[in-house]
Amino acid sequence: MLDAVRRRKWVGGLMAALLASSVAQAQDALPSAANGQGGIVDLEAMVVRGVQPGPGLWKITQGEHTLWILGTIAPLPSEMTWQADEVEAAIAQSQQILSSPSVKLDADVGFFGKLALVPSAMKAMKNPDGATLQQVLPADLYARWVPLKAYYLGRDGGVEKKRPMIAAGELYQAAIKKNGLSRKPVVWPVVEAAAKRHGITPTPTTLEFKVADPKQALRDFTAGGIHDAGCFRSLINAVQNDLPTMVERANAWAVGDIEALRQMPREDPASACSAALSDTDFARNRGMDRLEQRLREHWLGIARKALRENSGTFAVLPLSVLLAPNGYLEALRAEGYAVEAPE
């Protein structure tokens, strides 16, 4: 029964997690020389460990009102302890804390209704008609998958029947773990603890969608129309070529080297996965298309209100959306707010 309860999270979270992955957790990478057959690398010894300061804060001001923003990345060094003195000081001067942007799908079917949907949710993870990855992927792309899967996932036969984006996501998680990196929450638990000490309840910046037809939604998702080979290819590229730069970026964040982070070009595999999902009839029919733009507008509206009402506000944002040419910082600067980068 416990397994079934855990799996029910797919009902409210499967599409949301995949659609929002490019914003909630950006995977940053740069094509670089890989070692070993099939592009397999082992970089654990290069990952920083111990107590690290992390990056400084961006400061957004208008008159006497200030918004401090911490830029985050994932993955980060798995054996790092974050010493968040500057964040503690900013939160102490704040009246409101904004969480990182996210997406939530609300399917009001009740506890037992969700349990009843578990088989459909599990089916949505797999290729239609029981097809294997070898059958649904281009031959050259599947050939790249085989040695990586053998090295990182071993003899996991079940993964061969999963959708390409699901299978590649499992490979990516195994690869970063093997190389001393982790996507476990590092920043938010520290922020929450500081907020509690100062009597602040964090403000969610979640963009919510009501799913009135969860059973039909899962059927539509399972039926296809999702061209996720691009998502698969991008994640394979990250595992095969980009792990060295993931390590460099994780180390740069840990030691607070913002300039190094700025200078590292990045490819965002999660954007390909988000695009594969949002550019479908399933997403368009439920108002979930143009998701990154919707999230940006939603967060900016909350941030503007916080800047008007508070003398101090603290926020957490992925660096990928913070520093993008058309990102959140540029939007605030264009609206007349003063933007000061970390030293």
Side-chain angles (χ1 to χ4, degrees):
M1 181 65 176
L2 283 175
D3 287 341
V5 172
R6 293 189 187 102
R7 288 178 187 139
R8 73 184 175 87
K9 294 179 181 179
W10 276 96
V11 178
L14 172 65
M15 289 75 75
L18 293 171
L19 284 165
S21 59
S22 63
V23 177
Q25 297 282 3
Q27 297 131 359
D28 300 307
L30 168 70
S32 51
N35 301 317
Q37 185 176 4
I40 295 170
V41 294
D42 192 350
L43 303 160
E44 185 174 6
M46 297 170 56
V47 180
V48 300
R49 291 170 170 79
V51 178
Q52 302 295 339
L57 305 178
W58 273 265
K59 186 178 179 181
I60 317 301
T61 57
Q62 188 174 66
E64 300 298 319
H65 303 269
T66 301
L67 168 65
W68 290 278
I69 301 178
L70 173 67
T72 62
I73 67 169
L76 286 171
S78 58
E79 297 185 22
M80 177 196 80
T81 301
W82 179 35
Q83 184 176 349
D85 293 345
E86 188 176 358
V87 166
E88 290 272 359
I91 289 176
Q93 301 174 61
S94 298
Q95 295 80 54
Q96 190 174 6
I97 296 173
L98 308 184
S99 67
S100 191
S102 62
V103 172
K104 178 182 177 181
L105 270 68
D106 183 9
D108 187 15
V109 293
F111 175 76
F112 292 105
K114 290 178 180 178
L115 289 183
L117 288 172
V118 166
S120 296
M122 299 304 293
K123 185 179 179 182
M125 294 175 62
K126 298 181 180 180
N127 293 310
D129 303 320
T132 64
L133 291 175
Q134 187 172 15
Q135 293 170 321
V136 301
L137 290 171
D140 66 318
L141 191 52
Y142 184 76
R144 293 174 60 191
W145 155 264
V146 172
L148 295 171
K149 182 251 183 180
Y151 184 73
Y152 290 115
L153 297 176
R155 298 181 179 181
D156 183 355
V159 74
E160 292 288 334
K161 290 190 176 181
K162 292 181 179 178
R163 283 186 176 274
M165 66 173 61
I166 301 293
E170 292 184 10
L171 177 73
Y172 172 84
Q173 295 286 358
I176 63 172
K177 181 178 180 180
K178 190 173 182 66
N179 284 281
L181 300 174
S182 173
R183 293 182 64 84
K184 70 180 180 181
V186 171
V187 170
W188 193 244
V190 174
V191 172
E192 276 191 313
K196 186 175 182 180
R197 284 192 293 274
H198 293 281
I200 303 172
T201 300
T203 300
T205 61
T206 304
L207 181 60
E208 296 191 18
F209 293 94
K210 181 74 174 181
V211 181
D213 54 349
K215 290 184 179 180
Q216 185 60 46
L218 283 170
R219 282 195 290 268
D220 292 348
F221 183 83
T222 305
I226 301 173
H227 305 292
D228 52 355
C231 165
F232 184 93
R233 185 183 300 277
S234 190
L235 284 167
I236 288 292
N237 287 343
V239 172
Q240 195 170 46
N241 303 321
D242 303 338
L243 279 167
T245 300
M246 288 187 203
V247 169
E248 289 179 25
R249 289 186 63 79
N251 288 347
W253 190 95
V255 301
D257 192 344
I258 293 293
E259 188 58 33
L261 290 168
R262 284 182 180 278
Q263 292 179 4
M264 290 183 199
R266 58 188 179 273
E267 175 187 341
D268 185 5
S271 288
C273 301
S274 178
L277 284 158
S278 59
D279 188 24
T280 61
D281 289 339
F282 160 81
R284 284 188 291 268
N285 291 342
R286 292 167 178 82
M288 300 175 196
D289 55 329
R290 300 184 297 108
L291 195 64
E292 291 186 30
Q293 179 183 338
R294 291 173 188 267
L295 271 171
R296 179 175 174 270
E297 293 169 354
H298 181 67
W299 186 92
L300 287 171
I302 296 172
R304 291 187 201 103
K305 184 174 185 291
L307 272 162
R308 287 194 306 270
E309 297 179 352
N310 306 318
S311 61
T313 305
F314 178 84
V316 176
L317 279 176
L319 271 174
S320 58
V321 302
L322 191 64
L323 298 180
N326 60 342
Y328 293 35
L329 278 182
E330 287 304 314
L332 290 168
R333 186 180 284 112
E335 293 176 14
Y337 295 95
V339 178
E340 181 181 335
E343 295 181 359

